[in-house]
Amino acid sequence: MPKKIAFLTANEGVEQVELTEPWKAVTDAGHDAVMIAPDSGTVQMFNHLDKADTKQVDQTVGDARVGDYDALVLPGGVANPDALRQDQQAVAFVKEFVASGKPVAVICHAPWMLVEADVVSGRRVASWPSLKTDIRNAGGEWVDEALVQDGNITTSRKPDDLPKFCSALLESLQHGSASAPTAAAGSAT
């Protein structure tokens, strides 16, 4: 049975490959992908710091409801989560999605959204290395691993991790994920 996956980004600054590769993985598997952003119109993707393609927004975050989706994907890019974490509707959507126990897949700089939503405490989280201090300050355990699954949250560090990230996303759609975080090993401070 096809699932409905929310892809939440800011309207500008998302790393193209971190959006398009998971999008292709879920649609190739027969699922429905939905582009959600703060504003209607388009999302401007980037290849690192250079403008790339655009993607049409399907729904604004203000109109999105967690109950309508089976999973959430938060692609990275430096500017994307930095802008998105200033949107209170987006932060509330992420917080509610994590609390729902449904799969949440987050890559590269996007764990900033998890920090802003106050959902990393006691969890193991992989991200781009520059987020290490933010994750630790929020009570999480930052790890330098290609793929980390902690409860219903799957995280990866960078575009090189996309094969494992996409595979784990598809696995979570097929089998679901546990909603309880595992205890962080060691001190997170």
Side-chain angles (χ1 to χ4, degrees), residues 73-185:
V73 176
L74 298 174
V78 178
N80 169 46
D82 192 53
L84 197 59
R85 66 185 175 161
Q86 296 177 63
D87 184 296
Q88 290 309 304
Q89 290 178 318
V91 173
F93 186 77
V94 170
K95 186 175 187 80
E96 185 181 346
F97 221 105
V98 171
S100 78
K102 296 176 186 180
V104 179
V106 191
I107 190 166
C108 201
H109 286 80
W112 264 335
M113 286 300 293
L114 300 177
V115 169
E116 196 66 34
D118 195 25
V119 296
V120 300
S121 184
R123 292 186 185 259
R124 295 178 75 238
V125 179
S127 72
W128 189 255
S130 63
L131 277 65
K132 175 179 13 179
T133 300
D134 297 320
I135 290 166
R136 287 179 175 164
N137 286 344
E141 177 191 356
W142 181 82
V143 292
D144 184 12
E145 295 176 13
L147 183 71
V148 174
Q149 294 181 283
D150 192 326
N152 62 320
I153 299 176
T154 298
T155 54
S156 289
R157 305 168 298 188
K158 57 188 173 185
D160 290 347
D161 299 338
L162 279 165
K164 288 182 179 182
F165 181 79
C166 292
S167 179
L169 172 59
L170 293 177
E171 181 73 16
S172 71
L173 292 173
Q174 184 174 359
H175 299 291
S177 57
S179 60
T182 60

Side-chain angles (χ1 to χ4, degrees), residues 34-55:
V34 179
M35 186 76 246
I36 299 174
D39 300 315
S40 60
T42 59
V43 166
Q44 176 65 60
M45 296 181 280
F46 280 73
N47 291 322
H48 191 52
L49 298 175
D50 299 323
K51 280 189 176 182
D53 299 329
T54 61
K55 190 161 200 55

Side-chain angles (χ1 to χ4, degrees), residues 47-67:
N47 291 322
H48 191 52
L49 298 175
D50 299 323
K51 280 189 176 182
D53 299 329
T54 61
K55 190 161 200 55
Q56 188 66 40
V57 173
D58 298 312
Q59 186 176 40
T60 63
V61 71
D63 292 333
R65 302 291 168 257
V66 170

